[in-house]
Amino acid sequence: MFLDAGGRAPLGPQARAAFDESLDQGWADPRRLHAEGRRARLLLDGAREAIAAEVDARTEEVDLAPSHTAGLHGAVLSVARGRRRSGRDVVVGATERAAVLSAAEFAAAEPWTAGAGSRVVVGVDREGRVDLDAYLAALRSPGVALAALQHANGEVGTVQPVEEVHEAAREAGVPLLVDAGASLGHVAVPGAWDVLAADPGDWGGPAGVGVVVTRAGVRRAPSWPEDDDRWFPGGVSVPAALAAAVALQSALADRDAQDVRRRTLVERVRARVAADVPDVEVVGDPDRRLPHVVTFSCLYVDGESLVTELDRLGFAVGSGSACTSSALEPSHVLAAMGVLTHGNVRLALPVDVTDDAVERFLAVLPGAVARVRAVLGVEGL
Amino acid sequence: MGGGGLLGDPGDDRPEDDRPDGDGPRTHGRQDVDGPHTHGRPEGVVVDARGLRCPLPVIRLARAARDAVPGAVLTVVSTDPAARHDVPAWARLRGHTVVASREEPDGALAISVRVGTTA
């Protein structure tokens, strides 16, 4: 049972069909002038138009990147560079994706002007919600090029105060980048953004596509070599773009029903894990959250062992523990929240998750945790 | 927090090793320095967890806490990147208090915790 669907899920049937068909029609280079090229261009622009419609934007405001990470890097760098004469600082929430945090630091340090800027990181509370007063104060400081605030966090599910922040950003004349890479397709995304980034892999689209939507009027400048595809040189796979657009339409058609259904399942997981597993911390806002994400940390448990044990029992889950990351660092999101990082299990329920699968997971979890704890001999602690 | 008799005059110099690191009232180290709670050192019992990966540093610390009296100070020294987050989280979950946190000369992190009164 696959319960780690954040950012990567199997392609849904409609998206798979679209991908397959467009392999015949969209293989050519959309920049070329022959019939085959024009057909590919038509399909690509059709994908952009479909995505634009779903986020209340114009087709020309939609750019497709080769990945969500590349989209975020490009968005941060291009806006920071475009705004360099207004300011060099980049304001970010502490629980932004790593790609946003790194791009912000990188952009602030670039030698575009005489003085470099700094990345200003605004802290979050125990549930992962950004400190609104601190964020507003940071926005209102002079010399801010760009601010970034995710709509919702993909590791813990907590929704951020995007509307309030965007209003203050607009008053301050600072463009706001909203990373909806964990939320678009699952919950309604407010129009409170100047740049929107999204991740087709998160809504059942294919890997290899990222979405960046930039409102007309946002000043940006490439920080990379010139190319016909100005914002993401080299373009993207047309079949992947088409599959991404079709997957978005499918996800949105079913969104509200999936929200209700999965929200209830996650509520059950939160309650049952807290009741059935001794010494566990279930984190993230219990109410203002994504419908399908839940994460919890088990005291005295080695995260890698627990994930492996659950995998052995047939459940694929994610983790924010240090031992499960390639860098051997704990999740910066959990760390910023001040919650336990070891023994962490993260679930992102796919759209086809069944009630039965969740029940079976909840049934095996306490035993799995107990066995992993027994290996380290932690009884009585 | 008193112990005025041990304090001497406010203007006295104190030797460095009589004072605990980090926050805390000035009297704290002075009070405990020869007491049973710290075994003669402000950092109390030291749990050396260098080289151990999570969750072992917290587990070692938890074992020491189980055998300690309320009010005792324990210090865990670790090289594990998760410890800086997990020792305070463990303390919060278990009713203990982080009293100091400092980087050792070799780069390891030493976190001192006062054992709480909950069972």
Side-chain angles (χ1 to χ4, degrees):
Chain A
M1 237 296 105
F2 192 77
L3 301 177
D4 186 23
R8 280 285 190 279
L11 220 53
Q14 292 107 321
R16 182 183 290 268
F19 190 99
D20 207 50
E21 281 163 33
S22 58
L23 285 170
D24 284 333
Q25 301 296 316
W27 52 266
D29 183 345
R31 298 191 263 196
R32 299 190 198 176
L33 298 177
H34 39 58
E36 289 81 357
R38 291 199 313 270
R39 198 153 55 227
R41 165 57 59 192
L42 216 62
L43 288 174
L44 183 60
D45 287 347
R48 290 170 63 226
E49 186 179 336
I51 291 169
E54 303 295 5
V55 297
D56 285 326
R58 306 207 297 266
T59 306
E60 53 268 29
E61 293 174 325
V62 175
D63 295 305
L64 299 180
S67 67
H68 184 45
T69 294
L72 290 169
H73 286 179
V76 171
L77 281 175
S78 62
V79 176
R81 185 162 200 186
R83 293 257 308 153
R84 66 193 179 281
R85 289 188 204 91
S86 305
R88 292 300 314 276
D89 291 344
V90 183
V91 177
V92 295
T95 56
E96 292 306 302
R97 250 171 238 271
V100 172
L101 296 176
S102 331
E105 190 166 55
F106 188 96
E110 283 288 85
W112 298 321
T113 57
S118 35
R119 178 185 69 178
V120 177
V121 181
V122 179
V124 298
D125 62 18
R126 182 61 48 74
E127 292 178 333
R129 193 167 159 91
V130 86
D131 178 344
L132 186 57
D133 289 337
Y135 203 106
L136 263 38
L139 269 180
R140 291 166 183 153
S141 301
V144 176
L146 163 70
L149 182 66
Q150 67 204 182
H151 174 213
N153 184 275
E155 291 190 39
V156 304
T158 299
V159 172
Q160 301 295 346
V162 170
E163 289 96 328
E164 294 97 313
V165 166
H166 184 246
E167 183 162 335
R170 197 174 24 203
E171 278 168 24
V174 173
L176 182 69
L177 163 63
V178 172
D179 176 9
S183 60
L184 183 59
H186 304 287
V187 289
V189 175
W193 47 268
D194 300 293
V195 185
L196 183 74
D199 183 4
D202 195 66
W203 64 64
V209 186
V211 173
V212 177
V213 190
T214 309
R215 296 256 189 243
V218 174
R219 192 172 306 136
R220 50 175 177 163
S223 182
W224 45 79
E226 267 188 47
D227 187 83
D228 287 349
D229 288 298
R230 190 162 186 230
W231 304 110
F232 297 103
V236 295
S237 152
V238 172
L242 212 65
V246 168
L248 180 58
Q249 291 171 333
S250 303
L252 291 176
D254 217 18
R255 186 190 68 199
D256 293 342
Q258 285 290 5
D259 181 336
V260 170
R261 195 177 77 82
R262 292 186 298 174
R263 191 170 294 275
T264 306
L265 289 174
V266 164
E267 201 167 314
R268 187 187 312 168
V269 170
R270 293 184 67 102
R272 287 274 299 276
V273 167
D276 299 347
V277 179
D279 296 319
V280 70
E281 185 167 35
V282 181
V283 305
D285 196 314
D287 303 307
R288 288 177 297 190
R289 60 172 175 81
L290 292 172
H292 62 304
V293 173
V294 53
T295 193
F296 53 89
S297 298
C298 308
L299 202 50
Y300 312 137
V301 166
D302 168 7
E304 185 179 357
S305 301
L306 182 54
V307 169
T308 301
E309 174 66 2
L310 289 169
D311 188 48
R312 188 184 72 79
L313 294 166
F315 298 96
V317 302
S319 174
S321 293
C323 44
T324 64
S325 91
S326 47
L328 294 179
E329 289 276 347
S331 152
H332 68 279
V333 172
L334 300 177
M337 293 164 63
V339 299
L340 188 66
T341 73
H342 74 226
N344 181 261
V345 169
R346 180 187 66 241
L347 306 184
L349 305 181
V351 288
D352 63 353
V353 71
T354 61
D355 194 289
D356 180 63
V358 171
E359 280 302 316
R360 279 188 289 119
F361 173 79
L362 292 172
V364 306
L365 180 68
V369 173
R371 279 191 297 283
V372 168
R373 280 177 169 154
V375 167
L376 295 176
V378 300
E379 295 81 18
L381 286 186
Chain B
M1 226 64 75
L6 293 172
L7 279 182
D9 293 329
D12 281 0
D13 281 344
R14 282 183 197 293
E16 271 307 306
D17 61 5
D18 273 355
R19 230 178 290 157
D21 299 305
D23 306 330
R26 224 172 154 220
T27 58
H28 182 80
R30 199 60 171 163
Q31 254 185 321
D32 288 350
V33 73
D34 292 325
H37 293 180
T38 60
H39 295 242
R41 296 186 301 276
E43 68 273 22
V45 169
V46 175
V47 174
D48 190 342
R50 286 180 176 91
L52 297 179
R53 264 182 30 176
C54 75
L56 293 180
V58 169
I59 290 175
R60 293 286 171 93
L61 180 60
R63 285 202 183 109
R66 179 190 52 192
D67 300 335
V69 294
V73 173
L74 308 171
T75 298
V76 61
V77 183
S78 71
T79 49
D80 172 46
R84 90 172 49 248
H85 310 291
D86 291 345
V87 170
W90 165 83
R92 175 173 50 81
L93 292 171
R94 276 281 180 273
H96 309 305
T97 313
V98 173
V99 296
S101 181
R102 141 189 111 234
E103 191 174 305
E104 295 281 280
D106 65 355
L109 180 65
I111 308 177
S112 298
V113 167
R114 185 183 311 118
V115 176
T117 53
T118 53

